Amino acid sequence: MSDAMIHDPAGSPQPEPGALDTDACVSGQIADAIIASGLTDRPVADLIQTVMGRLVAAGVPLSRMMVGFRILHPLFDGMTIAWTDEHGVEVEYFQALSEDNPDFTMSPFYWMIKENVQELPLRLDRDAQVDKFPLLQRLRDEGFIGYYARVVSFGEGRMEVGTTDGLALSWSTKSPSGFSARDISIMQQILAPLSLALRVMIKDQIAKNTLNAFHGPLVGERILSGTIKRGDGERLAAALWYSDLRNSTGLADSLSVEGFLELLNVYFDCAAGAVIEEGGQVLDIVGDAILAFFPANTAGEEAAATSALQAALKAQERLAAAKAEACKCAVKINFGVGVHFGDVVFGNAGTRERLKFGVIGRAVNEVARTQDMSKLLGHPIVATDQVVRLASPESGLRLNDMGLHDLRGIPMAKRLWALRQNVEIVPANGQ
């Protein structure tokens, strides 16, 4: 590919004398809007919508824009934000942005990164380069004429495949004349402020994704909002939820490392997945035990209690469904769930060098001991009288009164209830 093809959009009319001052004014106004949007806490999609609206209003004949970048996320490798004049802004997440994925390696962005090409202006209706890339062929077939792409590195060196230190953008038009030199000039002049704003937003999104994945959204939000000092916290009323995998030591001894981790993930999908589905917060995963809670400060005590009990039922239903589908891991899994309601201290504690954000208090011990009783009572779900009395009467919960029981380390006996459901569940004690 020649330098002329990279740097000079073929056939583009040149600007009239004096037009550059006007174009710089337009670009400056758009850059100001970008900076103003970047200083707010608005979603990145709002920034793209603002920029595209300004560009179109300035006479740039845009029909499509796309920006893509890699993210740190346990489920996804990358994120794209696409704008079209027909549908507006759409956000999509992608898995496997690697050199094993032909959809990625056949993209113009991959070629630009590998060949260290920073910009790529093309006429889709006549440049031979288009035939190398399925995406560009599709755009051509959809009536797009002009295409202009840029790769931006966030560091001093070149951008590399597989790093988060950069982004790639493209603009497309269906205008019969493609992009003019004026159009390219305006897009080039706003590239620096746009890339800077996107970089800040991307880093912020990566921080949120990482904190949410490892600490849950409730803790992640508090950390980002500044609740980070030792001793920061609050007292909350909440429904507490605790599950424990049966025979975990025997399973760990009998399975390969990969097999045991696969089994744990199936268990976590059943148990923690049900908590998240019902709106709860997974606070801690210690080995094979899961501690979660449903705060009552927003939805109310009845809603929190009901959701926690429903999550316990759904966790066992998920396991039963996995076993019905003959999941090789699921057939070896049994777990018990304890549910309780009480006051907890939700905050930071630890050493100056290592803090932990979590819940502390007698209620935490009580929910763990309640789960222990599922082994003795032979029921996979056991709840205390406190949470059962708060649950909605219309919830349809099927309960068996198991009477008063002493819980280890708890001074007073607790009335416990066993939750029943329609699907058959293996008893939590494995019998």
Side-chain angles (χ1 to χ4, degrees):
M1 185 173 187
S2 68
D3 290 342
M5 183 177 291
I6 294 176
H7 297 292
D8 181 23
S12 298
Q14 298 302 306
E16 296 293 332
L20 293 178
D21 292 339
T22 303
D23 295 346
C25 181
V26 169
S27 301
Q29 292 173 350
I30 298 175
D32 288 344
I34 292 171
I35 294 171
S37 181
L39 290 173
T40 67
D41 196 25
R42 296 164 59 193
V44 65
D46 289 356
L47 170 65
I48 298 300
Q49 185 66 57
T50 297
V51 172
M52 298 311 296
R54 293 283 187 134
L55 285 171
V56 171
V60 181
L62 286 160
S63 303
R64 178 183 182 271
M65 183 264 195
M66 197 278 288
V67 57
F69 44 86
R70 296 183 68 91
I71 59 175
L72 289 177
H73 194 282
L75 300 178
F76 305 105
D77 287 341
M79 173 181 177
T80 63
I81 305 168
W83 173 92
T84 61
D85 53 3
E86 182 178 1
H87 300 293
V89 176
E90 297 178 321
V91 178
E92 189 171 359
Y93 293 89
F94 290 92
Q95 295 176 323
L97 287 181
S98 67
E99 296 188 340
D100 296 328
N101 183 354
D103 291 337
F104 176 54
T105 56
M106 293 297 290
S107 70
F109 289 153
Y110 176 82
W111 178 82
M112 293 174 71
I113 295 170
K114 292 291 287 186
E115 298 299 323
N116 196 26
V117 175
Q118 293 185 347
E119 67 174 349
L120 179 63
L122 293 171
R123 283 285 301 234
L124 299 180
D125 57 342
R126 64 188 183 208
D127 286 334
Q129 189 83 353
V130 174
D131 293 329
K132 293 183 178 181
F133 306 108
L135 169 65
L136 299 185
Q137 295 175 41
R138 178 173 62 81
L139 292 177
R140 179 184 60 193
D141 294 342
E142 292 175 0
F144 288 90
I145 303 298
Y147 179 83
Y148 181 68
R150 288 291 300 261
V151 169
V152 179
S153 173
F154 292 159
E156 295 182 357
R158 58 178 288 183
M159 184 175 172
E160 300 287 347
V161 173
T163 71
T164 59
D165 294 327
L167 54 82
L169 307 93
S170 69
W171 291 270
S172 308
T173 181
K174 291 184 177 180
S175 171
S177 58
F179 286 126
S180 68
R182 172 185 180 271
D183 300 331
I184 298 292
S185 175
I186 291 176
M187 289 188 291
Q188 288 174 334
Q189 290 179 60
I190 70 165
L191 184 63
L194 178 58
S195 298
L196 181 59
L198 286 171
R199 181 183 188 183
V200 172
M201 291 180 169
I202 292 167
K203 295 293 185 182
D204 182 61
Q205 187 63 52
I206 287 175
K208 288 181 179 179
N209 288 342
T210 304
L211 285 171
N212 290 349
F214 287 92
H215 299 284
L218 189 64
V219 173
E221 289 170 6
R222 278 166 166 73
I223 292 174
L224 288 175
S225 67
T227 310
I228 59 174
K229 295 180 180 179
R230 186 166 67 162
D232 283 346
E234 58 188 310
R235 189 174 296 277
L236 295 175
L240 298 162
W241 199 99
Y242 193 93
S243 72
D244 185 58
L245 179 67
R246 298 292 178 255
N247 190 34
S248 58
T249 302
L251 291 170
D253 290 342
S254 63
L255 297 172
S256 65
V257 172
E258 295 79 8
F260 184 59
L261 290 176
E262 182 182 0
L263 181 144
L264 282 178
N265 286 330
V266 172
Y267 157 60
F268 291 141
D269 282 340
C270 292
V275 169
I276 295 170
E277 181 182 347
E278 283 296 309
Q281 301 285 331
V282 177
L283 290 173
D284 211 353
I285 297 176
V286 182
D288 54 73
I290 299 170
L291 173 63
F293 82 149
F294 296 74
N297 58 332
T298 53
E301 293 183 350
E302 180 180 288
T306 304
S307 295
L309 293 169
Q310 295 287 7
L313 292 170
K314 285 189 176 181
Q316 296 291 347
E317 288 170 358
R318 284 183 172 215
L319 177 60
K323 290 183 176 183
E325 294 169 1
C327 172
K328 63 179 181 180
C329 291
V331 297
K332 301 176 182 178
I333 296 174
N334 290 301
F335 61 89
V337 179
V339 189
H340 179 51
F341 194 98
D343 290 336
V344 294
V345 175
F346 181 49
N348 273 319
T351 71
R352 295 181 183 274
E353 296 80 11
R354 177 65 171 88
L355 295 174
K356 182 178 178 60
F357 209 123
V359 291
I360 308 163
R362 175 182 291 183
V364 178
N365 294 330
E366 289 177 331
V367 73
R369 301 295 178 256
T370 300
Q371 185 283 137
D372 289 340
M373 292 301 296
S374 67
K375 304 176 187 177
L376 179 64
L377 298 176
H379 289 274
I381 307 170
V382 175
T384 64
D385 199 49
Q386 287 93 327
V387 72
V388 169
R389 285 189 287 105
L390 289 172
S392 170
E394 288 80 38
S395 60
L397 296 171
R398 303 168 63 220
L399 299 157
N400 285 347
D401 186 349
M402 307 304 292
L404 293 173
H405 292 272
D406 291 324
L407 305 182
R408 181 167 56 89
I410 307 302
M412 295 181 61
K414 294 284 184 181
R415 182 170 297 280
L416 301 179
W417 298 80
L419 271 69
R420 298 180 292 115
Q421 56 190 45
N422 293 327
V423 298
E424 184 178 352
I425 301 172
V426 176
N429 60 5
Q431 298 177 358

